[in-house]
Amino acid sequence: MPGDQRDATTTATARREVLEADYRAAHDELLRALDGDRCGALLSRLEELVDAPLEGPPWSPLARERARDVLPGLVRATDRELRERVEAAHAADADPSVPAAAADELFHGARERAEEARCAGESLAPLWGEEAKA
């Protein structure tokens, strides 16, 4: 086998081994998550919802209110929490005593909350149209 072809084969084999190791690590992490308390709690809540009596799932008192009256307050609360998380992340990032990993985690939480806020805002679109997307 010529040298260039042998080098390419060795490189391909090394890359395959790295990918397989990454796959195994991700797979193991997924199995740990599925076996964890959070997933168990979610499954328990879903079972409760499915097994709820015929009168319906365990709705909150807000479920009886009109969406037009309730949703804006819920969206404002989501937005307020997002702003608080962003401010906390920026404060942690500016504080030299806070480890970079901790600040990164706060920014990650803020990004997750931003996605929730976007979805919450979009939930208003059927009621307010384009105004809800602004």
Side-chain angles (χ1 to χ4, degrees):
M1 183 182 306
D4 288 344
Q5 192 175 9
R6 188 175 28 248
D7 290 345
T9 302
T10 302
T11 301
T13 301
R15 287 182 178 167
R16 176 178 283 136
E17 289 172 359
V18 168
L19 288 173
E20 287 174 355
D22 288 349
Y23 169 82
R24 283 191 301 274
H27 182 262
D28 292 346
E29 184 177 340
L30 174 63
L31 292 178
R32 279 192 301 277
L34 290 174
D35 202 31
D37 293 339
R38 287 182 64 195
C39 189
L42 174 62
L43 290 174
S44 293
R45 293 290 293 152
L46 288 172
E47 287 175 2
E48 289 174 17
L49 187 63
V50 169
D51 294 338
L54 292 178
E55 66 267 4
W59 303 115
S60 81
L62 290 178
R64 289 181 171 75
E65 303 295 325
R66 294 182 59 203
R68 180 176 288 282
D69 298 333
V70 173
L71 287 178
L74 295 175
V75 171
R76 277 192 297 277
T78 301
D79 184 60
R80 186 173 41 256
E81 185 178 333
L82 168 60
R83 290 174 193 275
E84 290 169 0
R85 286 187 184 205
V86 169
E87 289 172 7
H90 280 291
D93 193 42
D95 186 344
S97 68
V98 176
D104 288 346
E105 189 65 29
L106 290 171
F107 278 115
H108 178 71
R111 283 190 300 274
E112 289 178 332
R113 195 61 179 166
E115 176 66 15
E116 292 172 11
R118 182 186 65 79
C119 292
E122 288 177 356
S123 73
L124 297 178
L127 300 172
W128 284 280
E130 289 300 314
E131 191 177 323
K133 295 180 182 179

